[in-house]
Amino acid sequence: MNTTILIIGACGQIGTELTAKLREVYGIDNVIASDIRKGEQEVFQTGPFEVLDAMNLEQVTAVVEKYKVDEVYLMAALLSATAEKNPAFAWDLNMNSLFHVLNLAKENKIKKIFWPSSIAVFGPTTPKNNTPQYTVMEPSTVYGISKQAGERWCEYYFNKFGVDVRSIRYPGLISWKTLPGGGTTDYAVDIYYKAIEENKYNCFLSEETGLPMMFMDDAIKATIGIMQAKKEDVKIRSSYNLSAMSFTPKELAACIAEEQKDFSITYEPDFRQAIADSWPSSIDDSQARKDWGWSHDFDMKKMTKTMLENLKTKLAEI
């Protein structure tokens, strides 16, 4: 495939695995990874890499022109819990980086954009169960506000200027390969590390806090899937609901205990509880399944087996 791809934010939780998969699909030399600094070795040692500040339009433009980039995956962002500690910077990073790539596409320097949204666009007034594609959106976090605004701008640039921008609302993402990046759903990664290392976990959310979740392999599959979909099949240009499973910390702990005898969990909710309480507990993603054929491969049980097996090997090598 003669498509040149630039990933901005390639050393983050999603970017690391997305880079590897895109290089597998499109060829190493056709996928340029970039981040504000060199992070994951596998990202900058396995193909083209540029140190790039997503908020610097001149830098972004120079890299796009240098490599004659066709598609941009904009993965740079400050996530929910981290953003609450630095709201002004979070807003600047999350919004200005988006405007830079939207405007480059408007000027026909980029053909296609992927920009991730999140379940953080929803708020306490949103229906919590089976949250529909179109519903009340009153986010209560800086991250959610920036993602909701971003969705509106993506739709605007598509309608006004014909910019081919595509987006999905990620639920909580779980991976054994990369560490979480400061989100409210991070407990669902950390719990596996603690299960192996200590056989117990102290959770920062309450036991009945249900949240939509997804194994990283499915998130990468969806990300590449929507970008490879025919233009006419992508009917929503704000962002698509996306889901695979929903569970509570109590349910996840019980699933781990089936694989690991005597595993125990305690609960000590912190400031992230209020964020989690404002989000849906399950998501209706029927529109994505209907429009461009989205389907997930991992449920909680399959994910737990995969996480424990791979983390045991990974931690043994450290």
Side-chain angles (χ1 to χ4, degrees):
M1 297 183 188
N2 294 321
T3 301
T4 304
I5 292 168
L6 171 64
I7 306 165
I8 300 175
C11 293
Q13 184 190 16
I14 305 170
T16 302
E17 296 189 45
L18 179 63
T19 300
K21 189 64 180 178
L22 285 171
R23 284 176 172 167
E24 185 185 307
V25 174
Y26 290 91
I28 290 170
D29 293 336
N30 293 325
V31 179
I32 297 88
S34 71
D35 214 307
I36 197 161
R37 63 183 67 85
K38 288 183 177 180
E40 294 289 331
Q41 286 191 347
E42 65 184 272
V43 171
F44 66 84
Q45 289 184 347
T46 58
F49 183 88
E50 295 281 342
V51 174
L52 176 63
D53 181 354
M55 292 195 289
N56 187 316
L57 178 59
E58 288 183 5
Q59 287 185 21
V60 176
T61 304
V63 171
V64 165
E65 291 177 344
K66 176 182 176 180
Y67 291 95
K68 297 182 173 59
V69 169
D70 299 302
E71 300 180 6
V72 170
Y73 289 71
L74 176 56
M75 311 309 291
L78 218 58
L79 302 185
S80 59
T82 311
E84 289 303 295
K85 296 173 184 176
N86 199 344
F89 175 69
W91 176 261
D92 286 345
L93 171 61
N94 294 359
M95 296 310 302
N96 289 334
S97 59
L98 174 59
F99 277 122
H100 292 341
V101 295
L102 286 173
N103 285 322
L104 285 169
K106 177 186 166 188
E107 295 164 10
N108 295 316
K109 292 181 178 179
I110 301 168
K111 293 175 185 172
K112 200 186 292 185
I113 297 166
F114 176 81
W115 176 80
S117 188
S118 162
I119 59 169
V121 296
F122 303 119
T125 53
T126 301
K128 284 186 78 71
N129 296 317
N130 216 26
T131 302
Q133 175 68 45
Y134 301 104
T135 188
V136 177
M137 295 164 68
E138 295 182 320
S140 57
T141 64
V142 177
Y143 180 61
I145 292 165
S146 69
K147 288 298 183 184
Q148 189 195 26
E151 286 190 14
R152 302 273 65 80
W153 281 114
C154 286
E155 188 176 64
Y156 180 85
Y157 268 72
F158 173 76
N159 289 331
K160 194 87 172 175
F161 308 116
V163 170
D164 188 356
V165 57
R166 304 169 183 212
S167 178
I168 49 184
R169 293 169 181 154
Y170 287 128
L173 299 180
I174 299 166
S175 168
W176 61 268
K177 292 180 183 175
T178 50
L179 292 170
T184 301
T185 56
D186 284 358
Y187 89 86
V189 179
D190 196 32
I191 192 172
Y192 290 106
Y193 281 87
K194 294 294 193 297
I196 294 165
E197 293 170 333
E198 302 172 19
N199 211 28
K200 63 182 180 180
Y201 180 62
N202 186 34
C203 187
F204 57 73
L205 298 180
S206 68
E207 65 178 4
E208 297 300 339
T209 306
L211 289 168
M213 299 283 188
M214 181 176 288
F215 190 54
M216 186 64 79
D217 289 25
D218 277 335
I220 301 302
K221 175 186 174 184
T223 302
I224 297 173
I226 192 171
M227 285 294 274
Q228 290 183 340
K230 293 177 184 174
K231 191 173 180 179
E232 59 270 22
D233 289 340
V234 183
K235 302 186 190 313
I236 293 170
R237 293 295 180 154
S238 50
S239 193
Y240 276 93
N241 274 2
L242 197 74
S243 185
M245 57 188 124
S246 293
F247 52 75
T248 65
K250 185 179 180 181
E251 288 168 337
L252 182 57
C255 190
I256 292 171
E258 288 179 19
E259 301 292 325
Q260 193 145 314
K261 196 180 175 188
D262 299 327
F263 173 73
S264 63
I265 186 168
T266 52
Y267 302 93
E268 202 174 329
D270 64 14
F271 73 99
R272 287 166 285 196
Q273 184 66 50
I275 298 174
D277 287 344
S278 74
W279 289 353
S281 55
S282 58
I283 297 284
D284 175 8
D285 64 354
S286 54
Q287 199 79 42
R289 293 175 187 271
K290 176 184 161 197
D291 287 358
W292 46 276
W294 157 244
S295 65
H296 67 281
D297 297 322
F298 285 81
D299 59 13
M300 184 169 62
K301 195 156 189 163
K302 183 178 178 183
M303 176 184 74
T304 294
K305 279 180 176 290
T306 305
M307 286 291 290
L308 291 173
E309 284 172 10
N310 285 285
L311 278 179
K312 281 174 184 172
T313 303
K314 179 182 177 180
L315 293 170
E317 293 171 351
I318 293 174

